[in-house]
Amino acid sequence: MNVVVLIGRLTDNPELRHTNSNISVTRFSIAVDRGYRSGEERQTDFINIVAWRQTAEFITTYFKKGQRIAIEGSLRMNRYQDKDGNNRTSYEVVVNNAHFIETKSSSNGGFTSAAEQAQPASFSNTDSGDFAEIVSDDDLPF
């Protein structure tokens, strides 16, 4: 079974491209922190990612450099010869699903705009005009 699940940060803005047959594709990399123990130095892996069709369009529309992303896909190995004739191997993850990990405001480094701060923390679709305000606990029937 070839299943890869990664959570990391985009290292650059993903760019939408099209093949000769007009299929959408994007290639980018994400920085994924390795697990570490207390006292050890953190290490980061940079993983190459490719997404096709609607998934590519979704990622390029909604994700930007530095934003956290969850990727579910499969590992693909590519073998090729470089310009000097040397055999090379590269690996990339082909995306099946991409998911948001953080809210839009937290992806700005935790800073929220004035418009976001002015929004209520919750939303109710009911009309509160049918209810009278209770001023004192003594007025409660129980």
Side-chain angles (χ1 to χ4, degrees):
M1 184 180 300
N2 183 354
V3 177
V4 176
V5 178
L6 299 167
I7 296 176
R9 293 194 182 274
L10 278 86
T11 61
D12 208 349
N13 288 329
E15 187 176 321
L16 187 64
R17 296 179 184 224
H18 293 86
T19 65
N20 292 337
S21 55
N22 204 31
I23 297 173
S24 301
V25 62
T26 185
R27 292 180 184 277
F28 56 94
S29 66
I30 61 173
V32 178
D33 289 334
R34 288 187 193 174
Y36 67 98
R37 294 188 177 131
S38 180
E40 291 182 355
E41 186 176 326
R42 279 191 182 191
Q43 294 183 343
T44 303
D45 293 310
F46 296 89
I47 312 292
N48 294 324
I49 310 289
V50 62
W52 296 91
R53 297 177 176 78
Q54 291 87 356
T55 306
E57 292 169 10
F58 170 74
I59 290 170
T60 56
T61 301
Y62 295 106
F63 290 92
K64 304 294 178 222
K65 178 181 179 179
Q67 191 173 2
R68 291 181 69 200
I69 188 172
I71 299 289
E72 180 267 316
S74 58
L75 186 63
R76 181 169 64 187
M77 179 178 72
N78 299 311
R79 292 188 177 149
Y80 63 96
Q81 283 190 340
D82 65 13
K83 63 181 179 181
D84 298 326
N86 299 316
N87 292 329
R88 300 285 182 188
T89 304
S90 68
Y91 296 90
E92 63 188 1
V93 173
V94 180
V95 178
N96 293 332
N97 294 300
H99 304 278
F100 293 101
I101 294 297
E102 56 194 359
T103 63
K104 188 172 182 177
S105 61
S106 66
S107 67
N108 294 335
F111 298 107
T112 55
S113 68
E116 290 172 320
Q117 290 174 357
Q119 297 297 321
S122 63
F123 173 78
S124 175
N125 200 16
T126 61
D127 181 13
S128 61
D130 294 340
F131 298 99
E133 183 177 339
I134 298 175
V135 179
S136 167
D137 286 343
D138 296 335
D139 295 337
L140 293 175
F142 48 90

